[in-house]
Amino acid sequence: MSYATTVSVSDPPTAEGRFGLAELTGLLRRRGTLIRNVTLAVVGLTALALLLWPSSYSTTAVVMLDARKNNVADLSQVLAELPTDPSSVQNQIQILTSRDLAGQVIDRLDLTNDPEFNAALGSRLLHPLAWFAPPKSAQAQRTGVVDVFLKHLTAEGMGLSTAVSVSFTAREPDKSARVVNAVVDAYIASQVAQKSDAARQTTSWLISRIAELGRDVQNAEANVQAYKARNGLNDAGEGTQSLVEQQLAAINEQLVDARADLAEKQANYDHITSLVQSGHAADVSQVVSSPLIVQLRGQQADAIRADADLASRYGPRHPKRLAAESQKRDLDTKIDLEVQRIAGSVANDVAVARAQVKSLETSLGHAQQEDNAQNLARVRLKALEANAASTRSMYEAFVVRLRETQDQGGITLPDARVISHASAPVEPTSPPRFLIFAASIPAGFLLGLLCALLMERAGLELPLPVARNLEPRRKPVPIVGYVPDAASPVAADLVITAPHSGFARALSAIAAQLMSQASAIAPMVVLVTAIDPREGRSSVAIGLARTLATLNRKVVVLDADLRAATAAWSMGIPPRRPDLLDALRKSAPLNRAAIRDPRSPALVLRAVEAPRNPQALWSSQELRALLVHLKRSVEFVIIDGPPVSAVETRTIAALSDAVLVVGFEREAQALRAVASTIAAAQSAAVGIVHT
């Protein structure tokens, strides 16, 4: 027979193992003493720990962040109001639990010298390592005291309100109340100190800043005046015209008048000139109105009348007529000279008027240039004046702010207030001794149950037949294990489908015992029998074979209940030839008679038809030779034997290295009797498997 050394492994199982009430009852029956001892040990240790555990007292004070303002003191706050949004409340909680505030309370209450907070002052018996540790410095001790203090201090917001509860835990009730009240008082004092320091620093800064601004105001105004002096900007005041502007206005007015006068005189001169040139000088108004011309005109009229009179009496060449004509010519000459003089006077007036206009225009140009220059200078002047005004305004604002700060300095109110001081607690808050003691009972039971389950899974305290040198007649027969659900028709499949089930774990423990004796007997022939096949005999045999096969052990299952072939049927192997009987008769090779288990690498040998005399078959030399051959080819031969009442069972037991008697736990007495009988008659190791 050839046996394949390499076989495929079935898909990993997905079903979880079951642990029901029946399994728990069996576990309690087998491991009740262990569970009880573990439970009592846990309860006893808990009671001892509670006796040694010192009591702690906790008390609470309540601080409320007050958003209301004091209208009398709040003229102008240096610090802004404390907001009361959730993040600000958390910020105040951080201040309440800060190391700086804790250090203030520790110094105030001298907690550095309290053994509860300073471990260096405690008994070295409670701290054995303190004998070997170097002594701590004062700063290190203080740091440790602060750390312990903060572990005992808690602060948290109270719902949606702005109140904060501050709690402290200590071993003495008075101490816990004293410390927590000191914490909230130090917190309120820190707020007042913070505001006072801020006001003091602000006042000092304002004074120095005002001095600087005063110097800046003086310099700015001096620069304005110096600039005015350099540029001749001597304005009478705000809203008035400058001197240059007034002068420019006056020149403009004079120029207008001078131009009007020039135009009038020029027109008069042009008129006179045109009349003179046309011979109508007598029509000139200045000539007509001149007294000299009037006088000469009168004399001329008299001379004409005299000449007319002489002409009537004398001839043209008469001396008197010549004298009268000469006089008349003299008068005309004088009149012409006077007319020319008058025309020259008008021309002179025109020239004077034109010169005056030109002079005024020149003055106006100079005034305009000076006004433009001053306008440009006023741009810079306005900048200097604006700078001076801004500096003065800032200076006055700082002076007002300084006065308000100084007025507020005498009244400093915190932004929080204590609405509930802590009182000394009456009852300790920890540890909850009764609750812990009550909880230790189920905890101890669960721990004992866990220990029992671990021992069951590991197979501890289960006697191994080979480990006891295979003493076949040792009394009483040992209980190899408890296999739950073995009577189920699908129990054998749980090894593959539910490897974590109670059935699979129990068989793994039994398989571990069998593999542990490989150094003593290798390979092994294991007979699995029972009083009644319904007690799970075939499930145990198949499950044990599959467990060993999945552990890379070479396994052959021999279906020895030739009348029923229960193992092959449970494994789902159909009846086919050649079979076991064909191999024994040499009509077929053994490797063709062996059938592969559909769910594991194990091989199965079965008989399709039951022989007439099974006892003769098991007593034959052919079957013995087959077992010898199998032991040379594989590591384990698992025989699913007939019931213990069958005649051939004793023969098969004699051929086996170990015998497992399977039966219900409720029939333990009958199982022990049957197993003892087999053990007394055979040399094989015998063990009991409860189902």
Side-chain angles (χ1 to χ4, degrees):
M1 170 184 176
S2 62
Y3 187 85
T5 59
T6 304
V7 293
S8 61
V9 181
S10 59
D11 295 336
T14 58
E16 296 293 334
R18 295 185 296 110
F19 187 80
L21 181 59
E23 292 79 7
L24 177 60
T25 304
L27 181 64
L28 292 176
R29 185 181 299 111
R30 295 188 305 276
R31 305 287 183 175
T33 303
L34 173 64
I35 297 174
R36 180 196 61 195
N37 293 337
V38 172
T39 303
L40 292 177
V42 171
V43 173
L45 291 175
T46 303
L48 180 61
L50 290 176
L51 291 176
L52 298 177
W53 194 345
S55 299
S56 298
Y57 296 84
S58 179
T59 186
T60 302
V62 181
V63 177
M64 176 172 286
L65 306 182
D66 198 350
R68 295 176 299 176
K69 296 173 58 178
N70 189 312
N71 295 328
V72 176
D74 190 25
L75 298 176
S76 178
Q77 289 186 346
V78 175
L79 291 178
E81 297 178 21
L82 181 66
T84 55
D85 55 281
S87 60
S88 299
V89 174
Q90 290 299 318
N91 292 337
Q92 299 308 306
I93 291 176
Q94 296 302 318
I95 295 175
L96 281 164
T97 57
S98 63
R99 298 184 68 88
D100 291 345
L101 190 65
Q104 296 176 15
V105 176
I106 290 171
D107 294 338
R108 176 181 173 185
L109 301 180
D110 194 21
L111 297 181
T112 307
N113 296 321
D114 191 336
E116 182 179 352
F117 300 96
N118 192 348
L121 302 178
S123 174
R124 292 196 174 188
L125 294 176
L126 300 178
H127 304 279
L129 296 179
W131 291 94
F132 306 98
K136 293 183 178 179
S137 63
Q139 182 62 33
Q141 291 185 20
R142 176 179 172 79
T143 302
V145 171
V146 173
D147 293 338
V148 175
F149 183 90
L150 292 178
K151 290 180 181 178
H152 292 192
L153 178 66
T154 57
E156 57 184 7
M158 300 180 66
L160 300 178
S161 68
T162 60
V164 178
S165 64
V166 184
S167 302
F168 192 83
T169 302
R171 296 178 185 174
E172 301 174 8
D174 293 338
K175 184 191 298 184
S176 63
R178 186 169 64 254
V179 171
V180 75
N181 288 329
V183 169
V184 295
D185 292 341
Y187 169 70
I188 299 299
S190 68
Q191 286 193 342
V192 175
Q194 181 186 13
K195 285 193 172 184
S196 299
D197 291 342
R200 184 163 48 255
Q201 294 176 4
T202 302
T203 301
S204 176
W205 180 79
L206 286 175
I207 291 175
S208 61
R209 184 60 179 155
I210 286 173
E212 294 177 1
L213 289 175
R215 292 191 294 271
D216 293 344
V217 169
Q218 292 179 359
N219 294 334
E221 292 183 349
N223 292 335
V224 170
Q225 297 303 325
Y227 188 81
K228 282 185 176 181
R230 287 195 304 269
N231 293 275
L233 302 176
N234 299 318
D235 297 344
E238 185 70 23
T240 61
Q241 292 182 337
S242 64
L243 296 178
V244 175
E245 290 176 344
Q246 294 177 6
Q247 182 181 2
L248 186 62
I251 292 174
N252 271 325
E253 185 178 356
Q254 293 176 6
L255 181 60
V256 171
D257 294 341
R259 285 176 177 173
D261 182 63
L262 174 62
E264 180 182 359
K265 289 182 177 180
Q266 182 67 42
N268 188 21
Y269 174 74
D270 293 341
H271 180 66
I272 291 173
T273 301
S274 63
L275 290 178
V276 170
Q277 290 177 356
S278 62
H280 297 85
D283 295 334
V284 178
S285 58
Q286 288 84 348
V287 174
V288 175
S289 61
S290 175
L292 181 59
I293 294 297
V294 171
Q295 183 181 359
L296 291 176
R297 290 288 186 187
Q299 292 177 2
Q300 187 182 27
D302 292 341
I304 292 174
R305 282 193 302 272
D307 183 60
D309 182 51
L310 291 176
S312 62
R313 287 184 299 167
Y314 299 107
R317 305 296 298 173
H318 188 273
K320 289 185 177 181
R321 285 196 61 190
L322 292 174
E325 290 179 355
S326 177
Q327 183 181 6
K328 188 175 62 173
R329 286 195 299 272
D330 290 339
L331 290 172
D332 291 337
T333 302
K334 290 181 178 179
I335 290 173
D336 292 337
L337 290 175
E338 182 64 16
V339 170
Q340 292 178 357
R341 185 189 65 80
I342 292 173
S345 177
V346 172
N348 187 46
D349 292 341
V350 171
V352 171
R354 182 175 290 107
Q356 185 177 3
V357 168
K358 186 175 182 180
S359 176
L360 290 173
E361 289 177 345
T362 302
S363 298
L364 180 62
H366 290 311
Q368 288 178 342
Q369 292 178 357
E370 186 176 359
D371 183 62
N372 291 335
Q374 287 192 354
N375 287 336
L376 293 177
R378 281 191 179 88
V379 175
R380 174 61 179 167
L381 176 62
K382 289 181 179 180
L384 292 176
E385 289 176 343
N387 182 40
S390 175
T391 305
R392 175 168 289 280
S393 176
M394 188 182 301
Y395 171 78
E396 293 173 352
F398 271 80
V399 171
V400 173
R401 181 61 171 166
L402 176 62
R403 291 175 180 173
E404 292 176 350
T405 304
Q406 290 176 340
D407 292 339
Q408 186 189 358
I411 304 176
T412 303
L413 298 178
D415 292 322
R417 59 192 178 95
V418 181
I419 62 174
S420 177
H421 281 86
S423 59
V426 178
E427 297 292 336
T429 55
S430 66
R433 287 183 169 83
F434 179 77
L435 180 62
I436 295 176
F437 182 79
S440 67
I441 299 175
F445 175 77
L446 292 177
L447 182 60
L449 187 62
L450 177 62
C451 293
L453 288 173
L454 292 176
M455 294 184 70
E456 283 284 318
R457 182 169 184 179
L460 299 178
E461 298 182 4
L462 295 179
L464 301 177
V466 176
R468 300 181 183 274
N469 296 322
L470 298 177
E471 300 176 0
R473 291 176 176 83
R474 179 170 179 177
K475 304 298 181 180
V477 177
I479 299 174
V480 177
Y482 170 73
V483 182
D485 300 326
S488 173
V490 295
D493 294 337
L494 295 177
V495 174
I496 305 300
T497 60
H500 300 293
S501 63
F503 178 85
R505 290 199 302 268
L507 289 180
S508 296
I510 298 174
Q513 297 180 58
L514 294 176
M515 289 188 295
S516 66
Q517 56 182 308
S519 59
I521 299 176
M524 289 186 61
V525 177
V526 181
L527 170 63
V528 181
T529 183
I531 299 176
D532 189 338
R534 294 173 297 178
E535 295 174 332
R537 180 203 68 203
S538 295
S539 297
V540 172
I542 297 170
L544 185 59
R546 286 176 172 174
T547 301
L548 292 170
T550 56
L551 295 175
N552 297 324
R553 295 296 189 269
K554 299 176 182 179
V555 184
V556 171
V557 178
L558 187 57
D559 194 351
D561 191 0
L562 301 178
R563 298 178 180 86
T566 309
W569 178 82
S570 298
M571 298 173 76
I573 298 175
R576 70 176 179 84
R577 306 295 291 267
D579 61 354
L580 174 62
L581 298 180
D582 294 330
L584 292 175
R585 298 185 189 114
K586 305 294 185 180
S587 60
L590 183 60
N591 59 353
R592 292 185 59 192
I595 305 172
R596 177 75 171 273
D597 177 18
R599 313 205 70 168
S600 73
L603 297 178
V604 181
L605 285 172
R606 63 166 293 177
V608 176
E609 298 178 358
R612 296 180 180 179
N613 189 359
Q615 172 63 21
L617 177 65
W618 284 104
S619 301
S620 64
Q621 292 297 327
E622 290 81 1
L623 188 57
R624 293 176 183 270
L626 175 63
L627 290 177
V628 172
H629 177 74
L630 291 177
K631 292 181 67 173
R632 289 198 300 265
S633 303
V634 299
E635 297 177 72
F636 291 96
V637 178
I638 307 299
I639 301 177
D640 182 18
V644 294
S645 59
V647 177
E648 64 269 21
T649 301
R650 294 182 182 272
T651 303
I652 300 173
L655 300 174
S656 303
D657 300 311
V659 179
L660 298 179
V661 182
V662 180
F664 292 128
E665 189 177 12
R666 62 178 177 268
E667 299 176 354
Q669 185 174 359
L671 285 174
R672 285 194 297 270
V674 171
S676 299
T677 302
I678 297 175
Q682 307 296 333
S683 61
V686 180
I688 297 174
V689 177
H690 285 162
T691 60

